[in-house]
C-alpha cells in the first residue's frame, strides 16, 4: 500500500477508534444495568441533560466542558476521556504493528471488547456474557481468516487450556480459602482471550497478566485511596491488558527474551 495512503488510513482509523471509544463508554455504563445501548440518547446520569453533539466529541468535549456537565455541573468521570483515548490507541497500534491485515482487525476487535470488559469488571466486578461472546466469536472467525483450519484449531486449543487452567485454579483457591477468590466470569473471559493467542504465548500471557493484575491492583488502591492489602483483586482488567499486550507484542517480547538469553545458552 502507498505510504501516504496508509498515513491517511492511520488518521481516519484513529478518529474512528476515538468515536467507538465514546460508544464503549455507553456500553460500559448501560450493559451492566441491563439498559438498551441505542435508546435513549446519551444523557447526564445526574440531571438527564441530553448530551448535544458538540458535547460528545471524544476527549475534546471533556476538556472544553472542564470535566463538568453543562446542565447541572456534576463532575464527568475521568473514565470517559480515558476510554475514548484507548479506543483510538487500539486502532493506531494495531495498524502500525500489523498493517492493513486480518491481524490488525483482530487486534482492534479484541482491544475494543477488552476495554469494555476490563472497565466493567473494574467498576462492577461483573463480566457480562454478551461481551465475552462479542470478543470470542469474531475471534474464532478471524483466527480462521488469519491461519485457516490450523489457526482455528490453535485458537480453540488456547481457549481450552486457559479456561481449564483458570477453572482448576478457581476450584483449588475456593477450596483453600473457603470463599470466592475468583469469579466464574473470569474463566469465560480468559477463554475468550485465549482465542486470540497462539498456545506458545500462554506461559508469557500468564506472566504478563499477573504483572498487569498487580498494576491494576495498585491503580485500584490509588483511585479508591485504600491500602494495597484491602484491594479486591481486579482480575478482569489485568487479564484484558495482559492479553492485548501479548497479542500485539508477543512476538517481539519472545524475540527480545531470546536475544537477552542468547549469550547464556550453551548451544549458541
Ligand atoms: Zn447533568
Amino acid at each position: 500500500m502507498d505510504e501516504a495512503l496508509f498515513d491517511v488510513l492511520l488518521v481516519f482509523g484513529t478518529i474512528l477508534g476515538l468515536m467507538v471509544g465514546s460508544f464503549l463508554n455507553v456500553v460500559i455504563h448501560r450493559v451492566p444495568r441491563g439498559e438498551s445501548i441505542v435508546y435513549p440518547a446519551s444523557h447526564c446520569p445526574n440531571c438527564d441533560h441530553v448530551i448535544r453533539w458538540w458535547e460528545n466529541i471524544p476527549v475534546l468535549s471533556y476538556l472544553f466542558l472542564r470535566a463538568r456537565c453543562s446542565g447541572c455541573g456534576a463532575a464527568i468521570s475521568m473514565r470517559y476521556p480515558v476510554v475514548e483515548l484507548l479506543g483510538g490507541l487500539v486502532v493506531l497500534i494495531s495498524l502500525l504493528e500489523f498493517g492493513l491485515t486480518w491481524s490488525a482487525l483482530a487486534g482492534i476487535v479484541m482491544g475494543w471488547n477488552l476495554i469494555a470488559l476490563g472497565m466493567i469488571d473494574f467498576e462492577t466486578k461483573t463480566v457480562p456474557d454478551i461481551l465475552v461472546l462479542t470478543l470470542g466469536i469474531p475471534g474464532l472467525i478471524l483466527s480462521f481468516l488469519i491461519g485457516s483450519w490450523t489457526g482455528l484449531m490453535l485458537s480453540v486449543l488456547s481457549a481450552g487450556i486457559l479456561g481449564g487452567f483458570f477453572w482448576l485454579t478457581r476450584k483449588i483457591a475456593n477450596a483453600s480459602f473457603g470463599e470466592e477468590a475468583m469469579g466464574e466470569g473470569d474463566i469465560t473471559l480468559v477463554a475468550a482471550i485465549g482465542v486470540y493467542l497462539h498456545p506458545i504465548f500462554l506461559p508469557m500471557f500468564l506472566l504478563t497478566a499477573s504483572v498487569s493484575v498487580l498494576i491494576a491492583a495498585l491503580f485500584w488502591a490509588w483511585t479508591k485511596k485504600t491500602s494495597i492489602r484491602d484491594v479486591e483483586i481486579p482480575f478482569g482488567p489485568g487479564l484484558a491488558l495482559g492479553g492485548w499486550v501479548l497479542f500485539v507484542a508477543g512476538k517481539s517480547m519472545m524475540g527480545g527474551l531470546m536475544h537477552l538469553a542468547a549469550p547464556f545458552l550453551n548451544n549458541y
Side-chain angles (χ1 to χ4, degrees):
M1 185 181 221
D2 183 3
E3 220 171 283
L5 196 62
F6 187 68
D7 288 346
V8 173
L9 183 79
L10 277 184
V11 172
F12 279 97
T14 306
I15 292 171
L16 174 78
L18 291 167
M19 284 155 64
V20 170
S22 176
F23 170 71
L24 289 176
N25 275 313
V26 177
V27 170
I28 292 163
H29 185 78
R30 295 189 187 179
V31 167
R33 294 173 173 80
E35 296 171 9
S36 160
I37 51 172
V38 285
Y39 180 85
S42 295
H43 52 87
C44 166
N46 187 44
C47 71
D48 280 340
H49 162 79
V50 174
I51 314 291
R52 280 156 290 183
W53 69 267
W54 51 269
E55 292 172 327
N56 210 7
I57 302 164
V59 187
L60 294 179
S61 290
Y62 179 82
L63 296 177
F64 74 68
L65 289 170
R66 293 185 190 173
R68 308 227 156 255
C69 165
S70 70
C72 65
I76 304 169
S77 160
M78 262 285 275
R79 190 250 286 160
Y80 287 85
V82 167
V83 164
E84 287 159 356
L85 272 179
L86 290 176
L89 267 180
V90 152
V91 178
L92 184 66
I93 294 172
S94 299
L95 284 174
L96 283 175
E97 180 64 28
F98 299 114
L100 194 58
T101 59
W102 290 123
S103 296
L105 185 62
I108 292 166
V109 169
M110 185 194 194
W112 285 344
N113 274 291
L114 286 179
I115 291 168
L117 280 160
M119 280 292 172
I120 290 173
D121 193 29
F122 185 73
E123 290 189 351
T124 67
K125 305 253 87 203
T126 58
V127 177
D129 291 334
I130 179 72
L131 290 174
V132 173
L133 290 176
T134 57
L135 173 65
I137 306 285
L140 289 171
I141 298 168
L142 284 159
S143 292
F144 180 78
L145 291 171
I146 293 165
S148 186
W149 291 107
T150 314
L152 183 62
M153 214 182 62
L154 291 172
S155 276
V156 173
L157 184 65
S158 288
I161 293 172
L162 279 183
F165 180 77
F166 270 66
W167 177 82
L168 197 66
T169 307
R170 179 171 185 261
K171 280 256 160 204
I172 295 168
N174 287 358
S176 32
F177 298 126
E179 57 177 298
E180 294 280 301
M182 185 193 287
E184 233 172 290
D186 291 322
I187 297 170
T188 52
L189 171 60
V190 83
I193 291 173
V195 166
Y196 290 82
L197 302 177
H198 190 288
I200 204 166
F201 288 144
L202 298 188
M204 195 178 261
F205 165 67
L206 292 173
L207 187 70
T208 313
S210 313
V211 174
S212 304
V213 167
L214 186 67
I215 294 171
L218 288 169
F219 183 70
W220 178 289
W222 177 65
T223 52
K224 313 258 163 175
K225 308 227 170 355
T226 54
S227 143
I228 187 80
R229 256 166 295 166
D230 302 324
V231 165
E232 285 185 67
I233 303 165
F235 279 107
L239 296 174
L241 182 63
W244 197 74
V245 166
L246 242 283
F247 179 80
V248 176
K251 247 190 205 172
S252 332
M253 284 162 77
M254 294 271 262
L257 274 187
M258 282 310 289
H259 186 74
L260 280 177
F264 308 101
L265 299 175
N266 48 22
N267 62 345
Y268 194 76

